[in-house]
Amino acid sequence: MTAHIAIFVFPDFGHFNPSLQIARHLVRRGHRVTYVIDEAYRTAVTSAGAALAGYRSVRRRLSAGSHVQSAEIADLGLDILADANTRVIPAARAAFEHDRPDLIAYDFESFVPARILAREWGCRTLQYFPYVASNDHYSLHADTMDPDSDYVHKGVEEIMRILAEVEPDPAAMWAMMAVSDRHNLVFLPRELQPRGDTFDEKFTFLGHCLPDEPPAVTWAAPDDDVPVALISMGTESNERTGMFQLCADAFADKSWHVVMTLGRGNALDAGVSAVNVEAHEWLPHLAVLPRASVFVTHGGMGSLVEALYHGCPVVVVPHTPENAVNARRVHELGIGRYLPASNLDPATLRAAVDELTADPQTLARVAAMSAAMRAGGGAAEGADVIERILMD
């Protein structure tokens, strides 16, 4: 049977890109896919053969400070809820009024509109995690937020206010706020998941969710005998003052070739000056990582999965509390280094890179993680899970 699948996504490339690979598989199998996401993603959505139920998000971007605090993430959460209530739900209702989906797939940031509309339309659901997953034994939100803080209570109250409009029963309302669903996809291997052994059959770990095809943009190192360092501070907030120059200074002896992706809209010079530094507004990391010996990154899970899949060790300079969770996990598993931005300097960064890339035990652990990722079913298995739910 063919079906109509709606995908609700928080408008951030780290959330969107992995889901797009599953959408491609579903479209190839004859299913119809409709994304509910900001209009800015229209070109990428249509290139995969999917439709768009678009809206214009007004949520804020994270600040460019060296480290974002949990309270700022909570404020962003309130923006997400406002978008959900005033933009996402109306756009979805209009788009699906005469064309109901058979299944709604959604990330946690989209659970409010996704679960409200699934309840309203009586359709199946699936939650996916483009970052570490949560269950009754491990909670990413508890790892990044103080549950007794005013900002957490304010967020919960706002969620309950929105849900109360469709579900007045408090017990049922709390059930709608669960951290997971009956069916869940996790876009990383169980080996990378904190407390991975506690996740039951409701969770399918895909290993990765990378594209099957090589990137359309090609890249080649200028010298096969010189090691390559890839440096990126993510897509959400990559204006961290002085970070790129600090990284350039760390490799000032010119014994490495450095590739930096600065983020779309950032000036190509970005204050960076070094003859061995190649700076791009944007370049697919998957074009560089097969040749890279180290990846200096903010620690978003998408970046970590891409690097580790290619057997590239990572140095994580986290920007958000979630990035810090990932950095701690990388350190705990011995597959990279965690360097807080607050006391980082070029010498410290370079020492971490040299130690990491010269340690055979670390490189062996990175290779083992790469093998675990490659052993997973990836996006194709994600599409398989959705088809099984539809046939259930």
Side-chain angles (χ1 to χ4, degrees):
M1 63 168 288
T2 59
H4 184 192
I5 295 99
I7 303 180
F8 286 65
V9 190
F10 170 62
D12 173 79
F13 281 102
H15 290 236
F16 171 74
N17 285 344
S19 74
L20 191 64
Q21 307 314 316
I22 295 177
R24 290 184 191 278
H25 280 275
L26 291 169
V27 170
R28 288 175 196 152
R29 298 178 190 188
H31 301 292
R32 290 189 300 121
V33 175
T34 302
Y35 268 89
V36 183
I37 194 171
D38 189 282
E39 285 281 352
Y41 293 79
R42 179 175 291 278
T43 299
V45 166
T46 56
S47 73
L52 177 71
Y55 60 92
R56 292 290 185 185
S57 173
V58 296
R59 60 100 175 176
R60 74 197 75 189
R61 283 170 59 89
L62 296 176
S63 69
S66 64
H67 186 71
V68 173
Q69 301 299 319
S70 297
E72 184 179 342
I73 299 294
D75 286 340
L76 174 60
L78 293 175
D79 283 358
I80 294 170
L81 289 173
D83 262 358
N85 210 25
T86 62
R87 292 169 180 81
V88 179
I89 292 176
R93 281 185 174 138
F96 298 118
E97 182 179 4
H98 304 295
D99 188 18
R100 295 281 193 258
D102 300 292
L103 179 144
I104 292 177
Y106 63 96
D107 57 1
F108 182 80
E109 282 73 14
S110 305
F111 89 84
V112 170
R115 292 180 186 177
I116 285 175
L117 293 174
R119 184 178 183 274
E120 183 178 315
W121 297 336
C123 60
R124 298 172 176 87
T125 58
L126 172 142
Q127 184 169 334
Y128 68 85
F129 294 87
Y131 35 65
V132 297
S134 297
N135 64 2
D136 292 337
H137 303 277
Y138 173 80
S139 168
L140 174 61
H141 301 93
D143 228 355
T144 56
M145 302 277 186
D146 176 2
D148 295 323
S149 64
D150 291 340
Y151 58 78
V152 168
H153 288 298
K154 185 177 180 180
V156 171
E157 288 170 1
E158 181 61 15
I159 293 172
M160 295 180 70
R161 185 191 67 78
I162 295 171
L163 294 180
E165 296 177 6
V166 297
E167 179 51 78
D169 178 25
M173 189 188 305
W174 278 108
M176 290 181 72
M177 296 171 65
V179 296
S180 61
D181 207 324
R182 287 182 57 203
H183 306 282
N184 305 272
L185 297 178
V186 190
F187 297 167
L188 50 104
R190 189 182 292 270
E191 291 85 348
L192 193 54
Q193 169 69 44
R195 302 206 62 187
D197 60 334
T198 68
F199 287 77
D200 60 21
E201 68 282 353
K202 294 190 303 182
F203 295 83
T204 301
F205 288 85
L206 301 181
H208 66 91
C209 221
L210 301 181
D212 301 324
E213 309 83 6
V217 177
T218 59
W219 177 87
D223 187 336
D224 289 340
D225 295 326
V226 175
V228 172
L230 176 62
I231 297 172
S232 174
M233 291 297 124
T235 56
E236 174 61 30
S237 183
N238 39 37
E239 302 91 357
R240 298 161 74 178
T241 305
M243 182 63 69
F244 289 111
Q245 185 60 55
L246 184 154
C247 292
D249 292 344
F251 297 94
D253 66 352
K254 303 180 182 62
S255 60
W256 287 71
H257 181 72
V258 179
V259 180
M260 293 184 177
T261 59
L262 308 176
R264 286 188 174 97
N266 286 351
L268 280 178
D269 58 13
V272 176
S273 60
V275 297
N276 60 321
V277 173
E278 175 187 334
H280 302 261
E281 279 194 16
W282 177 84
L283 181 71
H285 294 162
L286 293 176
V288 181
L289 283 167
R291 177 64 175 78
S293 297
V294 71
F295 186 16
V296 180
T297 170
H298 67 303
M301 186 54 72
S303 295
L304 295 182
V305 166
E306 288 181 345
L308 295 169
Y309 179 90
H310 285 285
C312 181
V314 293
V315 174
V316 183
V317 184
H319 186 225
T320 70
E322 180 195 327
N323 297 160
V325 168
N326 297 340
R328 289 195 296 270
R329 184 62 175 159
V330 160
H331 176 79
E332 180 181 289
L333 293 172
I335 53 178
R337 298 292 184 270
Y338 172 14
L339 298 181
S342 56
N343 55 1
L344 187 63
D345 57 42
T348 302
L349 174 59
R350 182 56 184 272
V353 167
D354 289 345
E355 177 191 4
L356 183 65
T357 56
D359 180 12
Q361 292 183 326
T362 296
L363 297 180
R365 288 189 291 266
V366 171
M369 184 61 73
S370 174
M373 289 179 168
R374 292 171 181 268
E381 185 178 0
D384 290 344
V385 170
I386 287 175
E387 288 189 324
R388 288 197 294 270
I389 296 170
L390 289 166
M391 291 186 293
D392 186 8

